[in-house]
Amino acid sequence: MTTSELTLPGGAGTERRGRGRRRVMGAGKQLHAGPVTYVVLTVFALVSLAPLVWTAVAASRTDRRLAETPPPLWFGGNLFANLQSAWDEAGLGTAMVNSLIVAGTITVSTVVFATLAGFAFAKLRFRFSGLLLLLTIGTMMIPPQLAVVPLYLWMSDLGWSNQLQTVVLPSLVTAFGTFFMRQYLVQALPTELIEAARVDGASSLRVVWHVVFPAARPAMAVLGLLTFVFAWNDFLWPIIALNQQNPTVQVALNSLGTGYVPDQAVIMAGALLGTLPLLVAFLLFGKQIVGGIMQGAIKG
């Protein structure tokens, strides 16, 4: 008996099934944006890009031209000269390598440890789990400025002053990352999948590697990008813990603002150089991260 033959008295079944088909066909249609949507998105894009464009314009001008009224609104011819001056004056070669080491190490450790901790809080049952999670979230309410003095004294006692591990160690894992991964895994990782792996004889390590990490991959990508951006742009603790002989990018850029009359064009050129790695990261991995988020949303 075919689907079309399944009818009820009065043809009610056929009518309901026909309505169901119409709903499905309607749900499958692609939604099209109207002109208002394009206008709003264009305005938001221009507003978001304005600071970056202005930084590039200022970096291509001279300091005298930036002081004039009205300010320049288009690119000049001094961009490469200002970039070279900023690179040499701030020692950005060493600073770039140091920032890549610091931000890369912090990103990898935060993603791995936060995923493990989030999995434990989301799916494992142990004593005081709720209290420990509450304490973890509570640390997010403490201003980081309060930890500067004891943290500096601790690093000095370890003999790590002006070394990169001074910046890396306090940021190996974050409360935000743990809470973020916990909230994602509660919904994205079915408990039945873990139990099935246990029944098949998988150890805890294999469950984490073959079940938890694949399910958490979209959230891990998002957390990794956010952590890398935060670690790259961090200024408060690196400026206290490091010096100009072994700086990160933000510490090195701070040296461009010294002097009796700072050259604003060179400062803008240095800021542009410090932003380029983040732009490259977004261009290279932005599509994969968005795709991972959509894949996780569909599976959820």
Side-chain angles (χ1 to χ4, degrees):
M1 182 178 293
T2 62
T3 305
S4 59
E5 295 174 347
L6 295 175
T7 59
L8 294 176
T14 304
E15 184 181 358
R16 292 194 192 99
R17 192 171 295 275
R19 290 176 181 175
R21 288 198 194 97
R22 286 195 293 270
R23 291 195 198 100
V24 172
M25 292 175 62
K29 292 182 180 179
Q30 185 176 3
L31 298 178
H32 296 279
V36 177
T37 304
Y38 285 106
V39 171
V40 173
L41 292 177
T42 301
V43 171
F44 272 97
L46 292 176
V47 172
S48 301
L49 289 174
L52 181 61
V53 174
W54 165 247
T55 301
V57 170
S60 65
R61 295 287 183 166
T62 62
D63 190 50
R64 176 176 295 182
R65 179 65 184 91
L66 292 179
E68 295 177 358
T69 303
L73 300 177
W74 192 245
F75 298 93
N78 296 327
L79 177 61
F80 293 103
N82 290 335
L83 291 176
Q84 186 65 44
S85 298
W87 184 275
D88 295 336
E89 292 179 19
L92 287 178
T94 302
M96 287 282 187
V97 174
N98 288 344
S99 285
L100 285 175
I101 295 174
V102 170
T105 304
I106 290 175
T107 299
V108 172
S109 65
T110 298
V111 169
V112 173
F113 291 144
T115 303
L116 294 175
F119 165 65
F121 283 123
K123 297 299 178 180
L124 300 183
R125 297 294 175 260
F126 54 93
R127 277 188 167 187
F128 309 117
S129 61
L131 178 60
L132 291 176
L133 179 61
L134 184 62
L135 291 176
T136 302
I137 298 174
T139 59
M140 299 169 59
M141 305 176 187
I142 302 175
Q145 293 82 359
L146 295 180
V148 167
V149 174
L151 193 58
Y152 183 81
L153 296 176
W154 181 28
M155 295 301 163
S156 298
D157 293 339
L158 292 175
W160 288 355
S161 298
N162 301 323
Q163 298 183 29
L164 295 182
Q165 56 264 37
T166 306
V167 181
V168 173
L169 184 62
S171 304
L172 287 178
V173 67
T174 61
F176 167 76
T178 301
F179 179 71
F180 177 78
M181 294 305 302
R182 187 261 177 192
Q183 294 301 105
Y184 181 84
L185 289 173
V186 165
Q187 299 294 333
L189 182 60
T191 306
E192 293 79 7
L193 194 60
I194 302 174
E195 294 175 350
R198 294 288 191 185
V199 171
D200 290 339
S203 61
S204 298
L205 182 60
R206 293 196 63 180
V207 169
V208 170
W209 185 259
H210 293 286
V211 177
V212 178
F213 281 172
R217 191 175 301 162
M220 292 171 69
V222 176
L223 179 61
L225 181 61
L226 295 177
T227 304
F228 184 84
V229 172
F230 176 80
W232 184 274
N233 291 329
D234 191 17
F235 177 75
L236 176 62
W237 177 237
I239 194 64
I240 296 173
L242 302 176
N243 55 25
Q244 293 297 331
Q245 283 68 43
N246 193 32
T248 58
V249 168
Q250 310 308 324
V251 177
L253 292 178
N254 184 59
S255 64
L256 295 177
T258 59
Y260 186 72
V261 182
D263 193 328
Q264 298 297 327
V266 174
I267 293 175
M268 289 297 182
L272 185 62
L273 285 173
T275 307
L276 286 179
L278 299 180
L279 296 178
V280 172
F282 274 104
L283 290 176
L284 291 179
F285 305 109
K287 186 175 181 180
Q288 289 81 354
I289 291 173
V290 172
I293 296 174
M294 296 304 299
Q295 181 182 3
I298 294 173
K299 289 183 177 179

